[in-house]
């Protein structure tokens, strides 16, 4: 009988992130750009995972810029690697973040640029062709994606980029240990934004309902607003950045405490699912509007024994965008 102990799926996902060290070696100096300063807890988890990864591998973050204080005239020394935050805002749904990416790729042609794991989604082919025209002129651009659909898009359109599949940076936070003493049965953590799956409104489910906007109260969101305003002013930028790094710890801990209070999480937020997995919390994932969640579950978290995909959602196998019909299969 074999004594080989099988590695936990979450340990394996965390270990996969080590392949980033092939392009951002330990002791590198980097500029970390487009980190989140807003009330989306999922993106904050991604940021905390990235920061933990940098710290674990002695990667020096010389400067940080968010969408609030980024400008085209920033100076980045040539011995620094430009590292862009991961997430799900690559494409034509979130213009401000995409503009930051395209501006950097266009303006810093002599730097190595690394985009941490993203999901890619475009409504219009003309927009992805515009991005491709910019990206394909860069000779040292590395793009990590979180799902097979994004990999197919990136490999088809961004032909001069180094494209690879990796899980979300939040997996660097594994494990998040909490006292297992939930007092409530079920939390329905459902999207209420532009990625909302309309079929989730037809689900008849018991339990409490929350989303990132309702998890953080108006006073907490007001403080985020004031910090983001402070980042835009040179005189208050440094202190605002320091405050955000501390305050974002509080916001993440609030989400952890909230999830810990429930025996089970039902989520259409990808990071409701990922946070549950990080906490070893039983959870069921429902898809978002364009299949990001099911794509992620199929490739990464389907072996996590505390996680399941909600098969009742018709959106779990979304149709491909029309412009994908003629593209090559990767």
């Amino acid at each position: 009988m074999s004594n080989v102990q099988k590695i936990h799926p979450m340990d394996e996902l965390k270990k996969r992130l080590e392949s980033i060290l092939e392009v951002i070696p330990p002791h590198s100096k980097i500029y970390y750009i487009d980190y989140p300063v807003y009330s989306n807890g999922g993106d904050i988890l991604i940021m905390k995972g990235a920061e933990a990864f940098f710290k674990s591998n002695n990667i020096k973050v010389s400067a940080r810029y968010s969408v609030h204080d980024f400008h085209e005239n920033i100076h980045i020394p040539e011995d620094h690697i430009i590292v862009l935050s991961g997430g799900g805002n690559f494409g034509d749904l979130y213009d401000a973040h995409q503009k930051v990416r395209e501006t950097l790729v266009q303006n810093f042609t002599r730097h190595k640029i690394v985009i941490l794991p993203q999901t890619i989604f475009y409504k219009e082919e003309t927009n992805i062709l515009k991005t491709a025209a910019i990206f394909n002129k860069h000779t040292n651009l590395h793009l990590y994606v979180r799902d097979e659909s994004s990999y197919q898009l990136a490999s088809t359109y961004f032909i001069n980029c180094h494209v690879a599949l990796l899980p979300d940076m939040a997996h660097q936070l594994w494990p998040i240990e909490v006292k297992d003493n939930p007092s409530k049965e079920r939390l329905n953590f459902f999207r209420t934004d532009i990625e909302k799956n309309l079929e989730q409104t037809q689900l008849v489910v018991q339990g409490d309902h929350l989303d990132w906007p309702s998890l953080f109260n108006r006073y907490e969101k007001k403080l985020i607003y004031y910090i983001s305003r402070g980042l835009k002013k040179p005189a208050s930028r440094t202190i605002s950045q320091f405050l955000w790094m501390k305050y974002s710890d509080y916001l993440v801990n609030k989400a952890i405490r909230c999830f810990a209070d429930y025996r089970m999480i039902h989520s259409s937020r990808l990071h409701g699912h990922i946070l549950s997995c990080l906490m070893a919390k039983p959870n069921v994932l429902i898809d978002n509007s364009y299949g990001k969640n099911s794509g992620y579950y199929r490739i990464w978290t389907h072996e996590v024994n505390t996680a399941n995909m909600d098969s009742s959602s018709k959106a779990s196998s979304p149709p491909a965008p029309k412009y994908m019909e003629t593209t090559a299969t990767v």
Side-chain angles (χ1 to χ4, degrees):
M1 189 172 179
S2 175
N3 291 323
V4 176
Q5 189 173 3
K6 187 178 179 182
I7 187 171
H8 193 289
M10 292 294 288
D11 284 316
E12 185 177 351
L13 293 177
K14 181 176 181 178
K15 187 160 185 63
R16 282 179 180 268
L17 296 176
E18 293 177 7
S19 66
I20 296 172
L21 299 175
E22 296 170 13
V23 292
I24 312 176
H27 307 286
S28 294
K29 293 180 287 188
I30 71 169
Y31 269 46
Y32 180 42
I33 299 181
D34 198 26
Y35 70 93
V37 186
Y38 43 84
S39 59
N40 184 308
D43 286 343
I44 298 172
L45 281 167
I46 291 170
M47 176 185 73
K48 293 301 180 185
E51 294 280 1
F53 181 84
F54 301 149
K55 185 175 181 180
S56 293
N57 294 288
N58 298 304
I59 295 168
K60 176 177 171 51
V61 184
S62 298
R64 296 172 177 82
Y65 286 89
S66 73
V67 74
H68 302 292
D69 55 346
F70 174 80
H71 57 88
E72 292 193 27
N73 297 319
I74 63 174
H75 171 72
I76 304 177
E78 288 192 17
D79 64 343
H80 281 60
I81 300 170
I82 298 171
V83 180
L84 284 143
S85 190
N89 57 24
F90 193 117
D92 56 7
L93 291 182
Y94 304 94
D95 291 341
H97 301 280
Q98 190 63 22
K99 185 178 179 181
V100 169
R101 272 188 287 273
E102 293 179 4
T103 297
L104 282 164
V105 174
Q106 205 161 22
N107 291 357
F108 293 91
T109 56
R110 299 174 66 176
H111 289 71
K112 180 190 287 187
I113 299 179
V114 180
I115 301 174
L116 296 177
Q118 276 275 354
T119 295
I120 301 174
F121 179 77
Y122 284 85
K123 294 180 292 183
E124 303 293 337
E125 187 181 21
T126 53
N127 293 330
I128 195 170
L129 290 172
K130 173 177 170 287
T131 304
I134 296 169
F135 277 30
N136 289 330
K137 291 178 182 177
H138 203 285
T139 59
N140 200 1
L141 177 56
H142 301 259
L143 170 59
Y144 292 104
V145 292
R146 302 186 299 189
D147 58 81
E148 290 174 336
S149 175
S150 297
Y151 184 82
Q152 181 175 337
L153 274 173
S155 300
T156 301
Y157 286 92
F158 309 142
I159 55 175
N160 288 337
C161 299
H162 306 275
V163 180
L165 267 168
L166 273 185
D168 189 271
M169 291 305 299
H171 286 283
Q172 184 69 26
L173 301 174
W174 166 262
I176 295 176
E177 297 179 359
V178 294
K179 293 181 179 179
D180 189 18
N181 189 28
S183 60
K184 302 175 185 176
E185 188 60 36
R186 177 184 182 130
L187 173 63
N188 301 293
F189 202 70
F190 289 171
R191 297 195 79 110
T192 52
D193 63 359
I194 59 173
E195 292 184 39
K196 177 181 177 181
N197 174 2
L198 295 179
E199 292 191 14
Q200 74 185 36
T201 61
Q202 301 169 13
L203 294 173
V204 180
V205 289
Q206 303 287 325
D208 297 334
H209 286 72
L210 283 174
D211 190 14
W212 295 123
S214 53
L215 175 62
F216 305 129
N217 64 45
R218 64 191 182 100
Y219 300 107
E220 290 164 338
K221 285 184 279 191
K222 184 169 283 191
L223 183 51
I224 296 172
Y225 168 74
Y226 284 121
I227 290 173
S228 67
R229 280 188 61 184
L231 286 169
K232 297 176 182 179
K233 302 173 183 177
S236 57
R237 180 176 176 269
T238 301
I239 187 63
S240 296
Q241 198 171 79
F242 173 80
L243 286 172
W244 176 243
M245 289 301 162
K246 296 297 182 184
Y247 189 56
S248 56
D249 286 339
Y250 161 79
L251 297 174
V252 167
N253 287 330
K254 182 176 184 181
I256 292 169
R257 290 195 305 272
C258 174
F259 276 42
D261 211 20
Y262 293 86
R263 291 184 177 86
M264 178 273 196
I265 311 295
H266 193 195
S267 179
S268 61
R269 283 279 185 187
L270 177 59
H271 283 84
H273 165 67
I274 291 176
L275 178 57
S276 299
C277 292
L278 290 170
M279 299 170 62
K281 174 76 62 175
N283 70 96
V284 176
L285 179 63
I286 187 173
D287 224 341
N288 73 323
S289 61
Y290 61 84
K292 173 173 70 178
N293 297 353
S294 57
Y296 193 87
Y297 178 83
R298 279 195 300 269
I299 192 169
W300 301 123
T301 52
H302 63 280
E303 291 188 355
V304 178
N305 61 7
T306 55
N308 288 286
M309 190 77 207
D310 188 336
S311 59
S312 67
S313 171
K314 294 178 183 177
S316 61
S317 298
K322 289 183 180 178
Y323 62 83
M324 284 290 290
E325 291 174 0
T326 58
T327 60
T329 301
V330 176

